Amino acid sequence: MLSRIPQLLFYGLVSGSILALGGIGVSLTYSILRFSNFAHGDMMALGAYLTLALIPVAGTLGIPSAAIGPLSFGPRFIVAAVVGMACTFVIVVALDRLIFRRLRKAGRITLMITTIGIALSMRNALQFFWGPQPQYYTARIQLAIQVPRLAIRVKPDQLFVISVAVLLVALLHLFLRYTKTGKAMRATSDNPSLAQVTGINTERIILWTWVIGASLAALAGVLAGVENKFITPELGWQMLLSIFAAVILGGIGNPYGAILGGVIVGVSEEVSTAFISTGYKPAVAFGILVLMLLIRPTGLLGRRS
Amino acid sequence: MSLLTVDQIVSGYGDMEVLHGVDLRVDPGEILTIIGPNGAGKSTLMKTIFGILTPTAGAIAFQDQDITGLSPDRVVRLGLAYVPQVENVFPSMTVRENLEMGAFVLRGDLRERISRVTELFPVLSKRWKTHVGNMSGGERQMVAMGRALMLDPQLLMLDEPSAALAPNLAATVFERIEAINESGLSILIVEQNAKDSLRLSDRGCVLAAGLKCFEDTGPNILANEDIGRLYLGGE
């Protein structure tokens, strides 16, 4: 049982990377738009399906599908995923303009219920177009490789998932730390009324928040599809509890907390399977969530409000 | 020509009207202090001038330009800067980042402006990388004023700059305000405990129950027994 732990730690890092990418958007939305976005999971699924739809389109443009090195996918898939991310944020920004913008002054509860409505609509729209059955990005089968000296087996795709997450997190860090827009986002999350007083255009910051949050959500959905080998319309919704647990664990409103929380929740969920049935995985996230809310509701990196 | 003219402003929060037609004038280069009891509408007036609240009647002009109902991010570009009473810093950002945010609407190199601000507040230059949330109340007030000065405004609006500060720190803040004013900047101060502020003001006025009820020079207001008894804690 214990001998499985290194392997489970690795799986945890893979799923933690995906949770972290999803959690960043939830955290940014919470700190800048001031509500919990229950549609975030379905934005992940939307990104995963848009990518699926774009693979043949990229094919007609002559982008080769041959796998890159040991990975199970090629340039065609990567192009489809990048365009899928862009399409996702365009749709999400349109939703903001159509729906959320009218509700800027509404209370948190109104906004939260609105996101639940959007979540249901989005999920059912995906089901309407693609059906409830799993869809596959690729039929290729990838064999895990034994890592010498470490008692773990890894698939190249999994290393790709972790690398992409690390790269994106690093880019996000540079963006928030050193660009004018990134600093303005932090300022807005810190103190929205003062941000306005300094001349920051809040609507522009909200736009950036959706663009970043939705793109990373779409990427998380695609990477979940790469890791799981299939996607369903439920893909994001099923991960939402873990994502919220991760975000609250790290300290809601702090994107770095979301990253840390994502990795911890991902690892905890996977390692728990060495001791309890896999069916209880969601209970682990739930347990972390309840425990954190009882002991330290501001989260590990959260600040007092 | 006056710098700022407030004409019969009616404003408040939602259905609650706080200001019932206030007139106000700030001349170039002067310090004007508005005093008045808690709930008189002092902060409401500041917020309305700056466009955080939209007046339901009346007009506000800055340098003969109508700014009534303009949003804060537009107002700030015209040369007004505002330091709110509370939550006037970005706590999770460093001192330097707070100052940079003050000049958000500007492009280009900020080094010269930053060095000008640190000349006024030397204590800040030693604490560049400190997160403002970890600083004391007095230091935060310096950061807040420094942030507002980054834009090189023509009118600085301070909402209770000495509130919640120890007396010696309050004295430092007022000394800085005087120094800022000497460089030619007009200053509009709102104060509840206003003796220090009135002492360095060219003019003062009393706001009570949403109406301006008295206006005179700073020294005259300090000398006025009725106002002293009613609004300055008596003698």
Side-chain angles (χ1 to χ4, degrees):
Chain A
M1 186 201 282
L2 288 176
S3 62
R4 281 179 59 211
I5 284 185
Q7 182 68 55
L8 293 173
L9 277 173
F10 176 73
Y11 288 154
L13 282 180
V14 178
S15 69
S17 303
I18 295 166
L19 294 178
L21 289 176
I24 288 166
V26 168
S27 205
L28 286 175
T29 315
Y30 184 86
S31 68
I32 289 171
L33 287 113
R34 318 258 149 196
F35 62 83
S36 304
N37 183 9
F38 280 85
H40 202 77
D42 301 289
M43 283 158 49
M44 291 166 61
L46 177 66
Y49 274 90
L50 288 174
T51 300
L52 181 74
L54 284 161
I55 293 172
V57 179
T60 58
L61 294 173
I63 298 163
S65 73
I68 302 169
L71 300 174
S72 72
F73 50 83
R76 185 179 292 181
F77 176 74
I78 292 175
V79 169
V82 171
V83 180
M85 284 165 71
C87 293
T88 307
F89 82 61
V90 168
I91 291 172
V92 169
V93 166
L95 284 174
D96 179 67
R97 290 291 176 268
L98 278 172
I99 299 168
F100 292 122
R101 188 179 230 177
R102 293 161 204 255
L103 299 169
R104 289 273 193 267
K105 298 232 154 64
R108 276 168 195 247
I109 303 293
T110 309
L111 282 159
M112 193 190 80
I113 292 170
T114 307
T115 67
I116 295 174
I118 291 175
L120 288 167
S121 318
M122 238 184 224
R123 202 176 322 145
N124 284 292
L126 295 178
Q127 190 158 331
F128 177 79
F129 287 112
W130 282 280
Q133 72 281 10
Q135 302 279 347
Y136 300 86
Y137 282 142
T138 173
R140 291 195 184 96
I141 290 170
Q142 199 178 34
L143 293 175
I145 302 159
Q146 179 75 41
V147 179
R149 280 195 287 278
L150 290 175
I152 55 172
R153 296 170 65 79
V154 304
K155 288 181 196 159
D157 278 4
Q158 293 173 320
L159 291 177
F160 176 82
V161 169
I162 295 175
S163 319
V164 168
V166 168
L167 177 73
L168 267 282
V169 163
L171 285 177
L172 179 76
H173 170 74
L174 294 176
F175 173 78
L176 289 175
R177 190 62 47 187
Y178 298 109
T179 68
K180 197 168 174 180
T181 306
K183 286 178 192 174
M185 279 181 77
R186 280 160 56 215
T188 307
S189 111
D190 241 17
N191 189 339
S193 58
L194 189 66
Q196 225 190 347
V197 164
T198 57
I200 293 169
N201 180 340
T202 315
E203 283 299 319
R204 237 178 68 93
I205 298 302
I206 288 173
L207 183 73
W208 272 98
T209 307
W210 284 123
V211 168
I212 294 172
S215 309
L216 294 183
L219 179 65
V222 172
L223 293 179
V226 168
E227 160 68 358
N228 299 339
K229 299 283 161 250
F230 63 90
I231 57 175
T232 70
E234 304 268 320
L235 154 137
W237 178 248
Q238 283 165 350
M239 289 174 76
L240 196 65
L241 175 64
S242 304
I243 288 174
F244 268 99
V247 167
I248 289 167
L249 173 66
I252 193 154
N254 182 333
Y256 301 101
I259 296 157
L260 178 69
V263 173
I264 296 176
V265 169
V267 167
S268 312
E269 284 182 346
E270 294 300 332
V271 171
S272 76
T273 62
F275 307 99
I276 53 178
S277 156
T278 317
Y280 290 114
K281 248 200 235 179
V284 174
F286 212 27
I288 293 173
L289 183 63
V290 171
L291 216 64
M292 254 344 252
L293 288 174
L294 285 174
I295 300 168
R296 196 180 149 87
T298 53
L300 295 174
L301 303 183
R303 52 175 187 269
R304 283 164 289 138
S305 57
Chain B
M1 185 192 96
S2 56
L3 190 62
L4 178 79
T5 318
V6 174
D7 184 21
Q8 285 295 310
I9 276 295
V10 178
S11 180
Y13 303 86
D15 288 338
M16 194 179 70
E17 190 180 299
V18 179
L19 303 174
H20 315 293
V22 174
D23 291 318
L24 191 77
R25 188 188 91 237
V26 182
D27 291 329
E30 78 168 344
I31 300 182
L32 174 71
T33 295
I34 304 173
I35 64 170
N38 222 353
K42 301 188 299 296
S43 296
T44 310
L45 178 58
M46 295 288 246
K47 287 181 189 164
T48 307
I49 293 171
F50 212 76
I52 297 164
L53 297 173
T54 311
T56 47
I60 304 166
F62 183 68
Q63 293 181 315
D64 286 339
Q65 185 180 350
D66 184 26
I67 60 164
T68 321
L70 229 53
S71 65
D73 63 286
R74 304 275 301 282
V75 171
V76 77
R77 286 163 211 264
L78 300 174
L80 271 88
Y82 170 54
V83 180
Q85 181 185 349
V86 289
E87 294 183 2
N88 50 21
V89 291
F90 299 112
S92 79
M93 302 177 84
T94 64
V95 171
R96 197 193 159 88
E97 286 173 337
N98 265 268
L99 295 185
E100 284 175 7
M101 282 298 113
F104 181 79
V105 297
L106 301 177
R107 291 172 189 280
D109 199 359
L110 300 176
R111 262 175 293 182
E112 197 189 316
R113 283 167 192 269
I114 287 178
S115 70
R116 209 161 354 116
V117 168
T118 44
E119 265 170 46
L120 276 166
F121 303 108
V123 60
L124 299 184
S125 59
K126 292 175 209 136
R127 312 206 52 185
W128 267 154
K129 293 190 171 163
T130 314
H131 289 264
V132 177
N134 300 330
M135 295 173 94
S136 72
E139 290 170 326
R140 281 182 193 220
Q141 192 62 40
M142 311 267 175
V143 173
M145 283 169 57
R147 191 223 85 227
L149 289 171
M150 281 295 288
L151 263 188
D152 208 0
Q154 296 177 51
L155 176 64
L156 177 63
M157 299 173 26
L158 304 171
D159 195 344
E160 307 233 4
S162 73
L165 292 188
N168 59 329
L169 277 172
T172 319
V173 166
F174 281 117
E175 183 198 305
R176 294 293 91 195
I177 290 173
E178 226 173 345
I180 293 163
N181 176 244
E182 269 160 24
S183 69
L185 192 67
S186 306
I187 301 176
L188 174 60
I189 306 175
V190 154
E191 270 288 350
Q192 205 178 335
N193 304 311
K195 281 183 188 167
D196 290 330
S197 179
L198 283 170
R199 225 165 261 137
L200 53 92
S201 296
D202 300 285
R203 289 188 303 130
C205 67
V206 180
L207 195 66
L211 289 166
K212 188 174 79 173
C213 53
F214 194 80
E215 187 179 329
D216 209 331
T217 64
N220 280 358
I221 288 190
L222 278 171
N224 186 311
E225 282 179 20
D226 287 339
I227 291 177
R229 199 175 61 244
L230 283 167
Y231 304 118
L232 299 173
E235 291 296 323

